[in-house]
Amino acid sequence: MENLNFKLIGRFLGLTAILNGLFMWLTIPVSLFFKEDTFMGVLNAGAITITSGVLLFFFNKPTIKKLQKKEGYLIVTLGWLMLTVTGMLPYLLTGTISNISDAFFETISGYSTTGSSILTDIEAMPKGVLFWRSATHWIGGMGIIVLTIAILPLLGIGGMQLFMAEAPGPSADKLHPRITQTAKLLWLIYVLLTFAEFVLLKIAGMTWFDAINHAMATISTGGFSTKNASIAFWNNQPIIQYIILFFMFIAGTNFVMTYFALKGEVQKIIKNEEFRYYLLSVIGISTIVFIMIICFQNPELKTTVDHPMVYGKIESSIRHSLFSVVSVMTTTGFVSADFTMWSYLVTAIFFALFFLGGSAGSTSGGVKIVRHIIMLKNSFLEFKKSLHPNAIIPVRYDGKPVSQAIVFNILSFFVLYMLIFIVGAVVLAFLGLDLKSALGACASSLGNIGPAIGSVSPVDNFAHLSSGAKWFCSFLMLIGRLELFTVLILLTPFFWRKN
């Protein structure tokens, strides 16, 4: 392969910074509406970001515009870091988060759609800053890289390498044969879903500000809320929680399936193996949790967050079971109840869900359901091969054989994922967390989930972590969001070798 085209990389990073700065300025009207003086900090943050982007863009004019795979990996990883470094400027320049470690953590938690927070009093934050905080979710959810791909024809550069690096899952379903058209269509669906949820939440009783923030956080499967109690704030308004529950489920579904649903092609959705397992998992696990709440709940534990919840009521138990399971499975991380208070067995079930994830091709993090399906099918085939060693039996998914290369890739991903989890938990324990909290924080950060167990449970946050632990969790969020290989391949010596 040729030498890395650093001018082309710089040009992409410049474009990413320009777009990020423009998004910052979109939050200024919110500050002005609420008559907050923090708008100057956001204005300056946007100006610095856009100026940096313009300089990078115009002083990096590549002679060769062909994008190689190596450049694609670099652009995606460095692009995410560019987003984070510039995205924390509104916090720093408004003085709402003055510590760099905290600002970086909160920002990358937003862009990676993790939803972990160091804020101890969210409702005391300026509305304009809270809006930017939710916007980082929304930008990161679909990926500003995909947005960049949509306008690449203006630069005369193809974007397939970027799309593959941004979405390195086991399959790359495309809605349209041209990658730029795919990116535009994905963003259109993303915007429509966000707007639909915003309207429904407003009708259900939320203020317009809470509605737009929670719509952005839901569709991106992020989980940042404008309330200290998260969605538990609306425990006395079930309709709001049901609306968020529905859109969380949609956001955790492959966007290709959402596209088919909008076209009325329901048969394609029903036939999709991953969607069927996704739906059955939600129903099955929620049923188990519901039974546990009804039968084994400690009667003394009758409150969650700041709001009472009567566990004896069937509707309430069903709602909180479904909401919590979907929230964790889709890696959204909204909280309607503290699931760690529902017995040790339920806590163990939710911890196991940290490693499940939503559908491939969704905004969810985690391992993804399709990988689990293929790993399990491959494991069962090994039993068959033990009895019939000469038989050639391929793994089949959606009725089609899966190539061995994809099976090996998925197995490698899972082994690497679990290895990082084990090592990460040890590192966090070394950095001061107790074992339970270290396991929870590592699984939550790597899976982009948000709430965890131990001292980082759904009713706690990450503010008490040491600076070292926050930086390490930030690294886990980044590699989790970009599905390991995209970032870790940059740490290998052969990536930098000249061929």
Side-chain angles (χ1 to χ4, degrees):
M1 187 179 285
E2 302 170 4
N3 293 336
L4 287 169
N5 191 339
F6 287 106
K7 285 189 175 292
L8 185 60
I9 294 168
R11 201 164 175 82
F12 272 109
L13 294 181
L15 186 59
T16 301
I18 292 169
L19 291 170
N20 203 34
L22 292 174
F23 271 113
M24 286 180 199
W25 278 353
L26 289 177
T27 68
I28 293 175
V30 178
S31 294
L32 294 174
F33 179 83
F34 288 103
K35 299 178 181 178
E36 296 169 340
D37 55 8
T38 52
F39 80 92
M40 280 304 298
V42 180
L43 180 68
N44 292 333
I48 293 170
T49 302
I50 291 171
T51 302
S52 303
V54 168
L55 291 173
L56 273 171
F57 186 83
F58 286 105
F59 283 96
N60 285 287
K61 293 185 178 179
T63 53
I64 301 172
K65 293 185 176 181
K66 187 178 180 182
L67 186 65
Q68 301 291 338
K69 210 165 188 178
K70 277 190 176 183
E71 279 109 5
Y73 286 116
L74 265 175
I75 287 169
V76 171
T77 302
L78 295 179
W80 231 258
L81 290 173
M82 169 70 78
L83 287 173
T84 304
V85 171
T86 56
M88 67 179 182
L89 291 178
Y91 297 125
L92 295 173
L93 296 184
T94 59
T96 49
I97 302 178
S98 55
N99 182 284
I100 291 179
S101 298
D102 287 348
F104 190 91
F105 181 95
E106 195 77 13
T107 307
I108 201 165
S109 178
Y111 284 117
S112 64
T113 71
T114 302
S116 301
S117 182
I118 51 84
L119 298 179
T120 54
D121 190 358
I122 297 167
E123 293 170 37
M125 294 283 284
K127 295 290 195 297
V129 175
L130 281 182
F131 188 81
W132 170 244
R133 181 171 174 258
S134 299
T136 59
H137 268 344
W138 199 76
I139 296 166
M142 179 54 65
I144 203 170
I145 304 300
V146 177
L147 178 62
T148 306
I149 291 169
I151 61 174
L152 283 182
L154 299 176
L155 310 178
I157 302 170
M160 188 59 190
Q161 289 86 348
L162 277 185
F163 186 79
M164 292 302 293
E166 165 64 11
S171 63
D173 291 314
K174 292 194 292 180
L175 313 185
H176 193 280
R178 293 184 62 186
I179 191 65
T180 52
Q181 291 301 110
T182 295
K184 290 174 185 175
L185 193 52
L186 289 174
W187 265 100
L188 178 60
I189 294 171
Y190 196 62
V191 171
L192 286 174
L193 288 174
T194 305
F195 181 73
E197 185 182 358
F198 161 70
V199 172
L200 290 173
L201 288 175
K202 181 68 177 70
I203 294 171
M206 272 192 180
T207 65
W208 72 265
F209 180 76
D210 289 334
I212 188 61
N213 277 274
H214 286 89
M216 287 193 290
T218 304
I219 301 304
S220 64
T221 63
F224 279 156
S225 177
T226 56
K227 303 297 182 184
N228 293 327
S230 188
I231 309 304
F233 182 86
W234 291 278
N235 272 354
N236 60 344
Q237 294 175 270
I239 185 62
I240 287 177
Q241 296 184 343
Y242 281 121
I243 291 169
I244 294 174
L245 170 61
F246 173 76
F247 280 97
M248 279 196 299
F249 181 83
I250 297 298
T253 305
N254 190 323
F255 266 60
V256 177
M257 295 300 106
T258 306
Y259 172 72
F260 290 147
L262 292 173
K263 286 184 66 180
E265 299 179 11
V266 181
Q267 280 298 113
K268 289 187 177 180
I269 302 172
I270 296 172
K271 290 179 180 178
N272 182 264
E273 196 169 351
E274 183 182 36
F275 180 79
R276 293 201 306 270
Y277 278 101
Y278 174 49
L279 179 60
L280 290 172
S281 296
V282 167
I283 295 171
I285 298 168
S286 298
T287 301
I288 294 170
V289 172
F290 164 72
I291 293 171
M292 295 297 295
I293 291 175
I294 293 296
C295 299
F296 302 103
Q297 175 64 38
N298 185 336
E300 295 180 3
L301 304 176
K302 293 182 179 178
T303 60
T304 175
V305 194
D306 298 323
H307 299 269
M309 184 172 74
V310 181
Y311 290 103
K313 291 187 177 179
I314 300 298
E315 184 278 329
S316 176
S317 299
I318 291 173
R319 172 163 37 98
H320 289 290
S321 301
L322 269 171
F323 192 98
S324 299
V325 168
V326 172
S327 181
V328 173
M329 268 189 65
T330 62
T331 72
T332 305
F334 277 143
V335 177
S336 72
D338 185 2
F339 58 75
T340 63
M341 302 285 281
W342 294 343
S343 81
Y344 294 124
L345 180 56
V346 172
T347 302
I349 290 171
F350 276 97
F351 183 69
L353 287 180
F354 289 178
F355 300 91
L356 189 56
S359 303
S362 70
T363 55
S364 297
V367 176
K368 304 292 193 305
I369 291 172
V370 65
R371 287 193 176 100
H372 286 287
I373 293 171
I374 292 174
M375 283 191 296
L376 286 171
K377 286 191 172 187
N378 184 69
S379 298
F380 283 122
L381 278 182
E382 290 301 318
F383 292 135
K384 286 187 178 181
K385 289 176 182 177
S386 297
L387 295 173
H388 308 284
N390 297 322
I392 300 174
I393 315 170
V395 175
R396 304 187 77 83
Y397 175 74
D398 269 345
K400 300 174 184 176
V402 179
S403 71
Q404 280 295 98
I406 290 178
V407 175
F408 290 152
N409 177 279
I410 290 171
L411 293 174
S412 299
F413 175 90
F414 188 72
V415 169
L416 187 59
Y417 193 96
M418 296 308 295
L419 180 63
I420 292 171
F421 164 67
I422 294 168
V423 173
V426 171
V427 170
L428 287 175
F430 175 76
L431 292 172
L433 289 176
D434 62 90
L435 180 58
K436 185 178 179 181
S437 302
L439 291 169
C442 185
S444 173
S445 299
L446 189 58
N448 305 132
I449 293 159
I453 57 175
S455 64
V456 286
S457 73
V459 293
D460 297 297
N461 65 15
F462 287 67
H464 64 283
L465 269 65
S466 66
S467 293
K470 288 172 185 171
W471 283 104
F472 186 70
C473 284
S474 298
F475 171 70
L476 293 176
M477 289 182 216
L478 176 66
I479 63 175
R481 174 62 181 86
L482 299 180
E483 301 210 344
L484 308 189
F485 295 131
T486 304
V487 178
L488 296 181
I489 196 172
L490 305 184
L491 305 179
T492 60
F494 53 79
F495 179 87
W496 302 97
R497 286 185 196 141
K498 296 178 182 179
N499 292 342

